[in-house]
Every structure is written in C-alpha cells, then in structure tokens.
Amino acid sequence: MKIRTKIQTYSSLFLSVMLILLSIIVLIAFLWISVERERDLLEDQASLIEENILTKDLISGDPDVMEPYIPDDGMVRIFDTDGRLIKSFTDEEDLEGLAVKAINEKGYDLAKADGEYVMTYRYPYPDEGKKLGMIEVTRPQETLLDNLSTLALVLGGASLFVILLSILAGKWLANLILKPISIMSGTMKDIEKSGEFKRIPLSDQSKDELQVMGVAFNRMIERLERNYNQQQQFLSDASHELKTPITVIESYSSLLKRWGMKDEAIQEEAVEAIHHEAIRMKKLTEHLLQSASQTEPSADLEGKIELISFCEGIAQTFRRTGNREITIESEFKEISAMTISSKLEQVIVILLDNAMKYSESSIQIMIKRKADEIFIGVKDHGAGISPEHLPHVFERFYRVDSSRARKTGGNGLGLSIARSLVESFDGKLEIQSEVGEGTLVTITLSHQILI
C-alpha cells in the first residue's frame, strides 16, 4: 500500500472512530439528562398532588378538580396502603391497562404501553406521619425518543459529512506532505538515469521537517558533486602524469631489449631514465595511499625530540637531493618537545617538498617558542598563493594552478595529508601567502614543551 493511501485511509478511519465515539457519548449524555429531567418533572407533579390530596379532596372530588395535576397525555393513579387502586385519572385509554406494581417506596419505572415507552413515578403520601397510600404519576416518553432519534440522525449526518470532508482533506494533506518526498524521489530517479547531480527546488516559507530533509538532501548532493568533480580532476591529472612515465619506461625497456645490452651508454641512459620515472610513480602512489589511510587511528607513541637538530637532519637531506639552500633560524640552541617524530618528520618533508617545487630561491625553517607553544615555520620566496585560493589549499586534490601542478608533479594531496597528520598529534597547521612574496606554512605544537 502506498504511503498516500495509508495516510488517507488511516486518517479517515481514525476520524470515523472518533466521531462515532463522540456521537455515542453525546447520545448517552442527552438521554441521561432528558431522563433526569423527566424524573424531576414527575417528582414535582407527585409532590404537588401529595400537598393537595387531602386539602382539596382530590380523591373523591370531581375529575375536573384533578385535571390540572395530570401530565399532558399522562395518567395519575392513587392507591391505598394495601396497594388497591382508589382512583385513576387519564384521558388515554392505552395507559389504563398499565400493570400495577405494589411498591411502597419511592421509585421510577420505565415500561411499554401499547408499543410506546412511558415513565412512572411512585410517591407515598403520608398524613401526620402515617402512610395513607401511594401516588403514581405516568407520562409518555414519545417526545423524548423522538428528540433522541432526531439527535441521532443529526449526529449521523454531520459525522458522515465530516468523514467525507476528511477523505478530501486527507487526500490534500497526503499531497502536501508527500510532495517534497515525491520530488526527492523523482530527482533521485533522474540522477540515476542521467548521471547528473540535481537538487530539489525548495520554498523558503516552509520550516518543517520535510524542508530540513530537502535542505539536507541538497547539501548531500552538493557534497557528492564536489567530491565527484575533485575525483574526476584527480583521475584526469593522474592518468596524464602516469601516462608519461609509463611511456618512458616502455620506450627505454624496448630500447634495452633491442640494443641496450650491447651498448653501455644506452644501457646507462635507459636505466637512469627508468629509475627516475619509477621514483616519480612511487611518490604519486605513496601520496595516494597516505591520503586514503588518514582516517585510520594511529598507534604511534609520543617521544621526546630536540626540534632544532631534528629539523636540521631533514633539511640536510633536502640540501643534498635538491641542491637548494635551506637554513634553520631560531633564537634558542635547543627546544625539546613530546610529539610523534615520524608524523612530524613527514609533515616537514611535505612542506619542504612543496617549497622546493614552487620556489627557486632559498628556504627558511623558523623555530620559535612562546609561552607553552612551539612554532615551526617553513618559508619559501616563490610566486605565492592568491587570497581566493588560500581557504581551499588544505582540501584533497585541490590545486591552485593545474598546469603548474603537472609541471612540478603535484597532485593536490600534500597539504591535506600534512594537516591530517598535524591534527592527529593535537597540533595546528596554518598558511600565509602573498602573491609575488612567497608562502609561510606554520606548525603549532601546544602544551608539548619540555623544560
């Protein structure tokens, strides 16, 4: 069963049950109030007869004297102490055949006389404390039953009308509630069929849960589209970068296979080229694997390291391999800290690698200590990064300049990996850059100083 049908069916069924229960309660309340009212009228009539039965000689007098005390279309009967009928006053012959009950106490009785319901009230009348007999007042209840039937018809008709309206209202309500869901379902089908990322059109007037769900859906689509575009960009660039080294390796291996084994010069050239291209591919795959593994918890333990000598060792490696001047600047001779050395080394390597790729001049590693914080900055004097790109440089696969990134071998993963590593040992990574002035990337280590 569809949700739309369920909403209409269950809402109409619930309303129908509620209306039926309400109608029954109203009918019972009306009947109870009406019967109590009839009882009060009969009791008042009997009390009035009891007050005047002796003073006005209602028993033995003219029936016309008794007429004002007889209910409309009703009957008054008077019995003696032995339950014998003394006098009966009525204009309705049907009531004269009503059975006589020997009741010596006050009470009510509902009976049928010629197919019609009548209510009888029996009231003992005493004289100076002595019981002389029983007054019985009877009144037909045809009006009460007619009113009850009329009320039942009115309630039934009104309930039926409301139920019909509820069916229409349930249909409208189902359409109103399910419209965003239907649109969302249709949008999902369109996405599945066309492969395009689409969003649900939303109204700013609605602030309900369906609106929230629609906003969440659109945000999810935006994120999926952004990730998809980043992945497509990366796949395109990776395929371009891998194509060249694979082609070079294939060409030189073919050259070796044909002539290189006999010519030492060709052999040396081919081996050097293959080795160089293999290192390029290795670095790219390492970055990919590292990026994919950053969400996994690390089991590395913190250890005490001396930061100035630690950075000097890393810088010396880059001086040899990159033939670049790298200086260590610090006002302290020694600064010790508790941190994960392998991760910190990897971060500094990434930052130095970026500095060497995007600048041609010297690089500075600046180490400072202030209060309970340590700052390790890597500064280059390259082209810098424009302000609109700075907020995105830590995103995976984001690259400021695609052509320059291909030229330098970048893949947009370095800074993203570096930030994840720094955050894993409770540090911060910040970047400052000006176009034409260079870039400064700073690692902040908090509460990790050893004095």
Side-chain angles (χ1 to χ4, degrees), residues 80-149:
D80 60 13
T81 55
D82 297 327
R84 292 190 299 270
L85 180 62
I86 298 176
K87 206 73 173 178
S88 176
F89 303 93
T90 182
D91 293 333
E92 301 292 331
E93 296 181 357
D94 298 336
L95 297 179
E96 293 180 349
L98 194 64
V100 178
K101 294 186 178 180
I103 300 176
N104 295 322
E105 295 181 356
K106 290 183 181 180
Y108 296 91
D109 184 32
L110 188 64
K112 263 190 174 183
D114 196 24
E116 293 184 358
Y117 283 97
V118 295
M119 181 177 287
T120 301
Y121 176 67
R122 295 178 176 86
Y123 183 81
Y125 63 95
D127 181 29
E128 296 181 356
K130 296 181 180 180
K131 189 182 293 185
L132 300 179
M134 184 75 67
I135 299 172
E136 183 183 83
V137 182
T138 301
R139 177 184 171 91
Q141 300 302 311
E142 182 179 358
T143 303
L144 171 61
L145 296 178
D146 289 343
N147 292 338
L148 188 65
S149 300

Side-chain angles (χ1 to χ4, degrees), residues 23-33 148:
S23 299
I24 293 174
I25 292 173
V26 170
L27 288 174
I28 293 175
F30 175 79
L31 180 61
W32 182 79
I33 293 172
L148 188 65

Side-chain angles (χ1 to χ4, degrees), residues 15 19 23 151-165:
L15 183 60
L19 286 174
S23 299
L151 179 60
L153 290 175
V154 171
L155 290 174
S159 299
L160 182 61
F161 178 72
V162 172
I163 290 172
L164 292 176
L165 285 180

Side-chain angles (χ1 to χ4, degrees), residues 50-78:
E50 188 267 339
E51 291 176 0
N52 298 280
I53 192 170
L54 296 178
T55 58
K56 296 186 178 181
D57 197 15
L58 298 179
I59 298 177
S60 60
D62 188 359
D64 293 337
V65 178
M66 190 67 178
E67 185 174 355
Y69 303 94
I70 303 174
D72 294 338
D73 299 327
M75 178 180 67
V76 174
R77 294 193 296 192
I78 301 174

Side-chain angles (χ1 to χ4, degrees), residues 311-324:
C311 293
E312 175 63 31
I314 300 174
Q316 182 62 26
T317 302
F318 275 84
R319 293 189 191 105
R320 292 176 180 174
T321 58
N323 193 23
R324 184 78 61 85

Side-chain angles (χ1 to χ4, degrees), residues 158-199:
S159 299
L160 182 61
F161 178 72
V162 172
I163 290 172
L164 292 176
L165 285 180
S166 72
I167 294 175
L168 298 177
K171 185 176 181 180
W172 173 81
L173 181 62
N175 291 332
L176 179 65
I177 294 176
L178 297 178
K179 184 178 179 180
I181 299 177
S182 300
I183 295 175
M184 187 181 298
S185 177
T187 304
M188 290 179 179
K189 291 180 181 178
D190 291 341
I191 293 173
E192 181 183 9
K193 185 180 296 184
S194 64
E196 298 178 358
F197 294 95
K198 297 183 178 181
R199 292 159 182 78

